[in-house]
């Protein structure tokens, strides 16, 4: 279900939701990137990229956040990481996290988004859970659907919110920089956690432990 082109018009009114000012959110991002800066590089329309990234067909700045630390970390780092046979934890490749950090942010204003939380919300945009739960092989199609939803909700929708695939008890959101006109995020004041440091890796392992995952050990001679 779900993998088909968008219709000309949505079958219902897309569901509006307001993320209140002051809401804490968490972002895993490249360490070189400022915590509140949007990614302004469009993804390829047909190949690599995230679920609702911009493409040359609809260029905009975007960033993803989780409403809990577990959702933020697992959505970025646990994609396509299978459980192997045996009782041991999954090993997260070091290349996946060593150049990433987690930042503690909050919304500085109310943010109006399209809710994709429920079956009714998804049906209003002619979709089902495929849109928010499918894996990366289908992301070219989910990006196309994201562009279509943006067109149907211009100019008010500043992002989308949906249930985290890898932490179903929590939510995640994508925010756009071309709707609203003013910054909507600020750091809380808590320092970012750099996963490339010993302390940051230890902190990350604590977050990953309930997900039966830990950082892969360094190879002999590998720098810290």
């Amino acid at each position: 279900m779900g993998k088909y082109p968008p219709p000309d018009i949505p079958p219902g009114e897309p569901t509006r939701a307001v993320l209140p000012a002051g809401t804490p959110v968490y972002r895993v991002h490249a360490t070189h990137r400022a915590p509140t800066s949007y990614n302004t590089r469009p993804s390829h329309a047909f190949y690599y990229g995230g679920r609702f990234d911009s493409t040359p067909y609809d260029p905009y700045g975007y960033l993803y956040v989780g409403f809990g630390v577990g959702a933020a970390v697992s959505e970025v780092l646990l994609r396509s990481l299978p459980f192997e046979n045996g009782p041991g934890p999954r090993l997260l490749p070091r290349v996946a996290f060593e150049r990433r950090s987690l930042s503690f942010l909050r919304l500085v204003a109310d943010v109006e988004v399209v809710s994709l939380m429920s079956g009714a919300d998804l049906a209003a945009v002619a979709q089902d859970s495929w849109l928010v739960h499918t894996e990366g092989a289908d992301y070219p199609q989910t990006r196309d659907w994201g562009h279509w939803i943006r067109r149907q909700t211009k100019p008010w929708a500043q992002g989308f919110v949906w249930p985290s695939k890898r932490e179903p008890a929590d939510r995640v959101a994508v925010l756009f920089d071309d709707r609203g006109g003013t910054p909507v995020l600020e750091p809380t004041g808590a320092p970012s956690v750099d996963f490339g440091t010993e302390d940051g890796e230890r902190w990350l392992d604590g977050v990953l432990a309930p997900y039966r995952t830990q950082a892969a050990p360094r190879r002999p001679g590998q720098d810290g």
Side-chain angles (χ1 to χ4, degrees):
M1 293 293 291
K3 193 173 181 181
Y4 45 80
D8 291 335
I9 58 173
E13 182 70 24
T15 305
R16 299 189 184 208
V18 175
L19 308 178
T23 300
V25 293
Y26 308 87
R27 184 187 185 193
V28 173
H29 56 93
T31 298
H32 74 268
R33 189 183 301 280
T36 60
S37 69
Y38 289 79
N39 188 340
T40 57
R41 181 179 180 180
S43 291
H44 196 285
F46 307 115
Y47 297 100
Y48 58 83
R51 190 179 301 274
F52 296 122
D53 292 5
S54 71
T55 73
Y57 294 99
D58 186 9
Y60 50 87
Y62 59 93
L63 60 81
Y64 295 88
V65 294
F67 289 77
V69 169
V73 168
S74 60
E75 281 291 328
V76 174
L77 299 183
L78 300 187
R79 296 178 188 173
S80 304
L81 188 66
F83 286 97
E84 305 291 347
N85 292 329
R90 295 180 289 180
L91 294 181
L92 181 65
R94 303 194 67 82
V95 68
F97 68 87
E98 284 188 317
R99 296 183 179 181
R100 296 184 186 270
S101 296
L102 179 136
S103 291
F104 303 86
L105 309 173
R106 61 175 160 248
L107 299 178
V108 297
D110 290 350
V111 179
E112 195 168 22
V113 297
V114 177
S115 175
L116 304 173
M117 292 294 298
S118 70
D121 293 343
L122 291 163
V125 294
Q127 261 300 340
D128 59 22
S129 60
W130 169 88
L131 182 64
V132 293
H133 284 170
T134 192
E135 292 287 355
D138 288 345
Y139 283 0
Q141 286 77 39
T142 61
R143 289 194 288 275
D144 186 46
W145 274 88
H147 297 348
W148 177 79
I149 294 170
R150 277 172 45 87
R151 290 196 298 273
Q152 307 308 315
T153 56
K154 186 178 181 178
W156 62 266
Q158 296 171 266
F160 309 152
V161 62
W162 66 96
S164 168
K165 175 180 174 64
R166 295 163 184 86
E167 179 44 273
D170 211 338
R171 300 172 294 161
V172 292
V174 62
L175 303 177
F176 312 132
D177 74 345
D178 63 344
R179 305 279 176 90
T182 58
V184 298
L185 288 170
E186 68 179 4
T188 64
S192 297
V193 180
D194 182 347
F195 300 154
T197 66
E198 288 188 11
D199 286 345
E201 182 177 330
R202 190 177 305 112
W203 185 94
L204 177 61
D205 273 340
V207 174
L208 293 175
Y211 300 94
R212 302 289 298 164
T213 306
Q214 68 181 40
R218 289 186 175 87
R219 296 188 301 274
Q222 186 175 7
D223 292 336

